[in-house]
Amino acid sequence: MIHLWSRIPRYIRYIFIQTLYLFVFLVFWRVIFYCFFFTSTIHDTSVILKAWGLGLRFDLRLALLLMIPVGLIAVIARDRLFGHRALRRGIYTYFFLLYLVVTFFYVIDLGHYSYLGIRVEPSVTRFLAAGERATNARMLWESYPVVWGLLGVLLLLVLLNWSCQVIFRRYAGKEGVPLRPRSYAAWIVALVLIFAAGIYGNVAYFPLRWSQAMFTRDNGITSLALNPVTYFINNFSVKDDTFDKTKTRQYYAPIAEYLGVDHPDAEKLSYARSFAADSSKPRQNVIVVMLESGGAAMMSMFNNPMQATPNLQKLAGEGLLFTDFHVPAMSTARTVFGVTTGLPDVCKFKTASRHPGIVDQRVILDQFEGYEKYYLLGGNTNWANIRAVFTNNVDGIKIYEEGYFKAPKADVWGVSDFDLITEADEIFKAAHDRKQPFIAYLQTADNHEPYTTTAGKGDFKKVTEKDIDMEAFKKSGFLSVDQLNALRYMDYNIGYLMEKAAQSGYLDNTIFVFFGDHSARLNPFKHMPLPEYEMGTFVDHVPCIIYNPKLLKPQKIDRMGSLLDVYPTVAKLAGIPFTNYTMGVDMLDTTFQGERYAFITYTRNLQSFYALQGRQYLCEIGLESGDMKLYDLKADPFRDVKEKEPEIAARLDKLTRGFYESSRYLMFNNKKPR
């Protein structure tokens, strides 16, 4: 065997060894992913080994593809490769840049997976948007060991660069093997066949494809089976977000009926519904509180084993708790846009708030005549271009952000939630004392990496592993005790807000709305009525509580509710006249005879879907494929029943596609008259 190896031309042996070295380097990153980031609901060894096998084939493909330039140079230059100074420098430079780029890509991928639970994808470039780079950079700085990480990467690159040069010099020092033209041609053919077979990657009639990694419904297994670099490249697209008026008209009728449009018109595509003032209702203030990363599965009122949110549970017991309330997407920027405009943000490559052609919208918040309007954020509203969503659409809104508050910044997201509420209360009390009604959007942020907490009034204490039942913790879905403490701190601050509201006098004449903007990333859990983790929908299921003891009797409401419904609902409760131009409805409307649905988007098995979810049925459509599946949530949430229930499938297919196409259309065509 050694004798046979020595008869191979040294430049071909060099290609093999460098390819093997690169392959081992890629496997090294796969081992890191598996040991420190991989989570799954599947524990079958054969399934995990299959994922490993596919992943190694993807790694080999990438290694071979990256070695093609070196291979071409080597077989053309042959033994001159080792004696030509320019070629040597070119090889050194190529490998340095290759390992530099690949290393940083893997670091970004692991950070992306740690943050969102999915492999890095082209939409990650949204974090590089102008005006946001500094904020995102600070979040990375405060959430991750950046300095130690960079030092580790630097040492790794030094080692890799040295190793590549050692391998090159080793083969440069060996004697060349003279070849006849026929033998040279045979070695070239063999090399090409070996590379082609490795890149093809399959013993089948089709090459290895990323879809093969999706042999289960489990995101962790699929992520293990993929190579993040090849997956990123395969899914890269430069298509612009847009709308299709023909499809909007095609599905307009069922949407117009569902929404109760005043004057349906498929040509003009009207969605308007007007509501008169209700003078019988007392003039109420409105405070909408966004609970950062507050998913339903994390909350006490949804039976999470850690019971981390007693204050929210108390409010849920004394107010209206919507048990089936959903946001359209796992994104804070998309949530802020959606709740304000009444439209789900269905942009593929940018969030709508970052799209100059979309931020101009007719919104219900703007129609609260006689109200002072506030948006309060502990950080800076240049984040995700959120400032434009409010200032461009809500006349006279007052924005309180970084620079206004007396308290010092706690982290990248600005002042702590405790300090934000302290100073927000001063604003609310001043308006109350002037008998000035107000509507406010209060955006919390501390239940988010880097999970900053303060002592609050001096009585908030973090828990440690010694203080909690670790068996219950493992079942709860929380990724870390820091994440648990951040949720406890958010709940603490909600209790503090209600305490301040009572002390300042505006508690009884204010409608409070509390809702999660999306779930945080979680480990597998089993305590929810549906297998939301496996379905991928847990990211959209959040709590919603409407609280006003003087106006509303305690009630648990099981009808479907949506983020898009928040302002139509509070506008009706406040009795103001308004016109709704978009997709939200009044969640408390008891005159509607049909079933309500929530529009959601989610990723399962690294595939994107949009869907309408009801109490019994979920109609799911593949974002790229367009394929529809219908699931009976009261029977088997994983079994497609569209063949068994053709009438329901046909009706919900039209309604779901109509919701999506109407949302795409309205994002660009719901502009205020000029």
Side-chain angles (χ1 to χ4, degrees):
M1 188 71 180
I2 296 175
H3 179 66
L4 178 63
W5 175 254
S6 65
R7 294 179 60 186
I8 300 173
R10 60 175 176 165
Y11 49 88
I12 292 182
R13 280 182 282 164
Y14 170 71
I15 294 170
F16 285 149
I17 293 300
Q18 282 287 24
T19 302
L20 178 61
Y21 188 79
L22 177 56
F23 174 67
V24 171
F25 172 72
L26 299 178
V27 174
F28 161 77
W29 287 107
R30 183 169 299 279
V31 171
I32 289 179
F33 173 82
Y34 182 77
C35 292
F36 299 103
F37 297 88
F38 174 75
T39 58
S40 173
T41 58
I42 297 175
H43 305 289
D44 188 329
T45 302
S46 63
V47 174
I48 295 174
L49 287 175
K50 181 178 180 180
W52 263 98
L54 284 167
L56 293 175
R57 285 152 64 189
F58 280 113
D59 291 345
L60 179 60
R61 168 183 282 178
L62 179 60
L64 292 168
L65 288 171
L66 293 174
M67 282 299 297
I68 286 176
V70 177
L72 287 173
I73 293 172
V75 297
I76 293 172
R78 294 197 263 186
D79 285 328
R80 294 190 304 275
L81 177 72
F82 303 103
H84 199 287
R85 185 177 182 183
L87 288 177
R88 183 176 71 250
R89 287 184 174 179
I91 294 294
Y92 286 177
T93 302
Y94 177 78
F95 278 120
F96 173 78
L97 294 175
L98 184 156
Y99 282 107
L100 175 68
V101 171
V102 172
T103 296
F104 273 99
F105 189 96
Y106 270 90
V107 169
I108 291 170
D109 174 67
L110 293 178
H112 191 272
Y113 193 91
S114 173
Y115 185 31
L116 296 175
I118 58 175
R119 290 292 202 184
V120 69
E121 55 187 9
S123 65
V124 73
T125 55
R126 69 188 185 275
F127 296 117
L128 300 177
E132 299 179 45
R133 299 186 191 100
T135 297
N136 291 327
R138 280 201 61 196
M139 193 279 285
L140 289 173
W141 177 264
E142 296 176 2
S143 301
Y144 300 95
V146 176
V147 173
W148 287 108
L150 288 174
L151 286 174
V153 168
L154 179 62
L155 290 173
L156 179 62
L157 289 173
V158 169
L159 174 63
L160 292 168
N161 191 52
W162 173 79
S163 300
C164 289
Q165 293 185 24
V166 167
I167 294 171
F168 187 92
R169 288 195 295 267
R170 178 181 179 185
Y171 283 90
K174 293 181 181 295
E175 291 185 7
V177 178
L179 291 177
R180 295 176 180 178
R182 185 173 296 179
S183 297
Y184 170 70
W187 281 115
I188 297 301
V189 170
L191 185 65
V192 170
L193 289 176
I194 292 171
F195 266 59
I199 293 171
Y200 194 82
N202 251 359
V203 184
Y205 290 108
F206 53 89
L208 180 67
R209 293 173 177 165
W210 58 266
S211 57
Q212 286 178 251
M214 299 173 181
F215 63 94
T216 69
R217 295 173 60 93
D218 186 84
N219 181 65
I221 294 292
T222 302
S223 298
L224 178 64
L226 287 170
N227 177 283
V229 178
T230 57
Y231 177 71
F232 181 92
I233 294 170
N234 287 334
N235 287 277
F236 192 83
S237 174
V238 294
K239 295 178 181 178
D240 292 326
D241 288 301
T242 185
F243 63 93
D244 187 327
K245 187 175 285 189
T246 300
K247 288 186 177 179
T248 306
R249 290 195 172 109
Q250 178 183 351
Y251 299 112
Y252 173 79
I255 283 295
E257 181 181 0
Y258 175 81
L259 295 176
V261 172
D262 290 345
H263 305 289
D265 190 326
E267 275 303 309
K268 294 182 179 179
L269 293 174
S270 171
Y271 293 82
R273 293 92 74 199
S274 295
F275 301 90
D278 186 347
S279 58
S280 67
K281 294 182 177 178
R283 180 66 66 95
Q284 297 282 307
N285 305 313
V286 178
I287 300 178
V288 177
V289 184
M290 192 200 85
L291 308 172
E292 171 64 47
S293 301
M298 305 165 72
M299 303 289 169
S300 300
M301 50 280 197
F302 291 89
N303 300 315
N304 186 282
M306 296 313 296
Q307 294 292 296
T309 57
N311 289 308
L312 283 169
Q313 186 169 27
K314 181 175 184 294
L315 292 172
E318 297 175 355
L320 306 182
L321 171 63
F322 294 85
T323 60
D324 258 323
F325 184 88
H326 299 258
V327 298
M330 184 184 178
S331 165
T332 299
R334 294 183 191 274
T335 286
V336 175
F337 176 86
V339 70
T340 306
T341 65
L343 293 173
D345 179 352
V346 292
C347 289
K348 293 182 181 179
F349 306 111
K350 288 183 178 180
T351 61
S353 63
R354 294 175 169 99
H355 200 308
I358 293 178
V359 293
D360 187 13
Q361 299 287 333
R362 291 182 289 187
V363 303
I364 293 175
L365 176 57
D366 188 45
Q367 300 176 52
F368 274 74
E369 296 291 339
Y371 280 69
E372 286 188 351
K373 306 174 185 73
Y374 314 137
Y375 174 56
L376 303 102
L377 174 72
N380 192 298
T381 53
N382 287 336
W383 155 79
N385 198 32
I386 288 298
R387 179 189 299 274
V389 174
F390 290 97
T391 58
N392 197 57
N393 298 315
V394 184
D395 186 40
I397 191 166
K398 298 178 180 179
I399 293 181
Y400 299 92
E401 60 177 325
E402 181 180 294
Y404 165 83
F405 302 108
K406 298 184 287 291
K409 291 183 66 172
D411 57 26
V412 61
W413 304 119
V415 303
S416 71
D417 286 347
F418 180 84
D419 290 328
L420 173 65
I421 289 169
T422 299
E423 300 196 42
D425 172 70
E426 296 174 3
I427 298 167
F428 302 156
K429 183 179 186 304
H432 172 74
D433 291 344
R434 290 184 280 114
K435 294 183 170 45
Q436 170 62 56
F438 62 88
I439 180 168
Y441 189 97
L442 179 65
Q443 183 169 332
T444 66
D446 286 342
N447 188 33
H448 188 297
E449 291 170 309
Y451 299 138
T452 301
T453 64
T454 71
K457 295 181 293 181
D459 56 348
F460 179 78
K461 306 294 183 183
K462 290 185 179 182
V463 296
T464 67
E465 291 187 6
K466 297 179 180 179
D467 303 317
I468 59 179
D469 181 346
M470 289 306 295
E471 286 301 315
F473 179 81
K474 290 176 183 177
K475 296 176 182 178
S476 68
F478 288 102
L479 300 179
S480 66
V481 176
D482 283 342
Q483 186 186 48
L484 171 64
N485 276 318
L487 181 65
R488 292 179 59 250
Y489 182 65
M490 181 181 74
D491 183 75
Y492 172 89
N493 284 315
I494 295 306
Y496 176 60
L497 170 64
M498 305 313 290
E499 179 184 319
K500 297 297 289 184
Q503 292 173 356
S504 298
Y506 55 86
L507 176 64
D508 290 341
N509 68 325
T510 299
I511 300 168
F512 290 86
V513 182
F514 302 91
F515 72 92
D517 70 326
H518 58 76
S519 175
R521 183 186 165 227
L522 298 172
N523 279 324
F525 55 83
K526 298 291 184 183
H527 58 270
M528 297 295 282
L530 292 174
E532 296 179 345
Y533 188 90
E534 292 82 356
M535 293 167 64
T537 59
F538 80 94
V539 298
D540 301 314
H541 188 191
V542 299
C544 179
I545 302 165
I546 301 181
Y547 180 84
N548 184 306
K550 298 293 184 182
L551 183 67
L552 303 168
K553 295 180 179 179
Q555 186 180 359
K556 183 181 288 188
I557 299 175
D558 294 329
R559 294 191 301 275
M560 298 302 296
S562 169
L563 174 79
L564 314 178
D565 305 335
V566 168
Y567 281 113
T569 303
V570 295
K572 288 292 290 293
L573 284 174
I576 69 162
F578 69 99
T579 300
N580 187 353
Y581 299 96
T582 52
M583 308 302 289
V585 298
D586 176 12
M587 292 188 291
L588 299 176
D589 180 7
T590 57
T591 65
F592 183 74
Q593 298 301 310
E595 182 173 359
R596 288 299 188 192
Y597 295 89
F599 180 86
I600 57 177
T601 62
Y602 48 92
T603 299
R604 185 182 64 247
N605 218 8
L606 295 184
Q607 297 183 76
S608 297
F609 302 93
Y610 65 89
L612 283 186
Q613 181 172 342
R615 291 287 294 168
Q616 180 165 2
Y617 293 103
L618 183 144
C619 180
E620 172 187 274
I621 297 176
L623 187 61
E624 298 300 331
S625 68
D627 295 338
M628 186 276 277
K629 293 183 178 180
L630 181 71
Y631 301 104
D632 187 341
L633 303 179
K634 293 186 177 180
D636 184 350
F638 301 117
R639 182 185 175 193
D640 182 7
V641 297
K642 66 175 178 286
E643 302 298 334
K644 182 181 177 182
E645 302 285 357
E647 292 183 6
I648 295 173
R651 177 174 59 83
L652 287 182
D653 179 72
K654 292 178 181 178
L655 192 62
T656 305
R657 295 182 195 274
F659 215 105
Y660 177 70
E661 297 299 341
S662 290
S663 298
R664 292 175 68 205
Y665 171 79
L666 284 169
M667 284 197 306
F668 290 92
N669 295 278
N670 186 40
K671 300 183 185 299
K672 300 179 292 293
R674 298 297 184 185

PDB file of all heavy atoms in Angstrom, residues 101 144 413:
ATOM      1  N   VAL A 101     -12.322  32.713   5.494  1.00  0.00           N
ATOM      2  CA  VAL A 101     -13.742  32.893   5.159  1.00  0.00           C
ATOM      3  C   VAL A 101     -14.586  31.772   5.750  1.00  0.00           C
ATOM      4  O   VAL A 101     -15.637  32.018   6.360  1.00  0.00           O
ATOM      5  CB  VAL A 101     -13.927  32.960   3.624  1.00  0.00           C
ATOM      6  CG1 VAL A 101     -15.406  32.935   3.259  1.00  0.00           C
ATOM      7  CG2 VAL A 101     -13.268  34.213   3.063  1.00  0.00           C
ATOM      8  N   TYR A 144     -21.993  37.677  23.756  1.00  0.00           N
ATOM      9  CA  TYR A 144     -21.077  36.594  23.432  1.00  0.00           C
ATOM     10  C   TYR A 144     -19.649  36.962  23.833  1.00  0.00           C
ATOM     11  O   TYR A 144     -19.301  38.138  23.884  1.00  0.00           O
ATOM     12  CB  TYR A 144     -21.131  36.279  21.932  1.00  0.00           C
ATOM     13  CG  TYR A 144     -22.495  35.848  21.464  1.00  0.00           C
ATOM     14  CD1 TYR A 144     -23.382  36.771  20.907  1.00  0.00           C
ATOM     15  CD2 TYR A 144     -22.915  34.528  21.594  1.00  0.00           C
ATOM     16  CE1 TYR A 144     -24.640  36.383  20.477  1.00  0.00           C
ATOM     17  CE2 TYR A 144     -24.173  34.131  21.156  1.00  0.00           C
ATOM     18  CZ  TYR A 144     -25.031  35.065  20.606  1.00  0.00           C
ATOM     19  OH  TYR A 144     -26.267  34.676  20.199  1.00  0.00           O
ATOM     20  N   TRP A 413     -29.627  47.315  24.497  1.00  0.00           N
ATOM     21  CA  TRP A 413     -31.032  47.641  24.250  1.00  0.00           C
ATOM     22  C   TRP A 413     -31.484  48.891  25.003  1.00  0.00           C
ATOM     23  O   TRP A 413     -32.669  49.209  24.993  1.00  0.00           O
ATOM     24  CB  TRP A 413     -31.922  46.450  24.600  1.00  0.00           C
ATOM     25  CG  TRP A 413     -31.522  45.210  23.861  1.00  0.00           C
ATOM     26  CD1 TRP A 413     -31.098  44.038  24.397  1.00  0.00           C
ATOM     27  CD2 TRP A 413     -31.477  45.026  22.440  1.00  0.00           C
ATOM     28  NE1 TRP A 413     -30.788  43.132  23.418  1.00  0.00           N
ATOM     29  CE2 TRP A 413     -31.011  43.709  22.200  1.00  0.00           C
ATOM     30  CE3 TRP A 413     -31.775  45.842  21.347  1.00  0.00           C
ATOM     31  CZ2 TRP A 413     -30.842  43.198  20.913  1.00  0.00           C
ATOM     32  CZ3 TRP A 413     -31.602  45.334  20.054  1.00  0.00           C
ATOM     33  CH2 TRP A 413     -31.144  44.031  19.854  1.00  0.00           C
TER      34      TRP A 413
END
